[in-house]
Amino acid sequence: MMSTYNISKMNKDAQMRATINQKLIETGERERLKELLRAKLIECGWKDQLKAHCKDVIKEKGLEHVTVDDLVAEITPKGRGSWGTDRLGRKRNEVDVKTKTSTLVPDSVKKELLQRIRTFLAQHASL
């Protein structure tokens, strides 16, 4: 059972996320961040890897047996990255067995986006 404190904290967190999101939209920063992410994902080959994976899925299952929903279900975990745990229960990044590459967005891309968001928050500290 959740305590009143936990529910209140969850509500405050949700309220803060909504306020930040609204400010990102109002200032146009959200669109700039999305465009930066698109460019970085193309630059690092992420988009090409997912496209190749789509083609592999279609070849494997046959074009007449694959729906858009099937592709989305196959590609989403790879695109977003999937996490597993090792035998000691620690989180680890799963690696694609065929390509031997990480299924996650490169750390450099995440770090750059995070830094941009931190800078934005620092400039809008009155949130």
Side-chain angles (χ1 to χ4, degrees), residues 7 39 55 95 116-117:
I7 293 170
K55 288 179 180 180
V95 174
R116 288 274 302 261
I117 293 168

Side-chain angles (χ1 to χ4, degrees), residues 64-79:
E64 60 281 348
H65 301 292
V66 178
T67 66
V68 173
D69 289 340
D70 293 337
L71 279 177
V72 169
E74 282 276 340
I75 299 306
T76 299
K78 184 174 180 72

Side-chain angles (χ1 to χ4, degrees), residues 14-46:
Q15 208 170 19
M16 181 59 76
R17 278 193 301 277
T19 301
I20 292 169
N21 194 44
Q22 184 62 35
K23 189 59 103 173
L24 286 166
I25 292 167
E26 287 171 3
T27 61
E29 186 65 13
R30 185 168 191 252
E31 280 305 311
R32 287 189 290 277
L33 289 170
K34 284 170 58 175
E35 190 51 44
L36 173 67
L37 179 59
R38 274 188 209 99
K40 292 292 181 180
L41 290 176
I42 290 169
E43 183 182 303
C44 74
W46 178 89

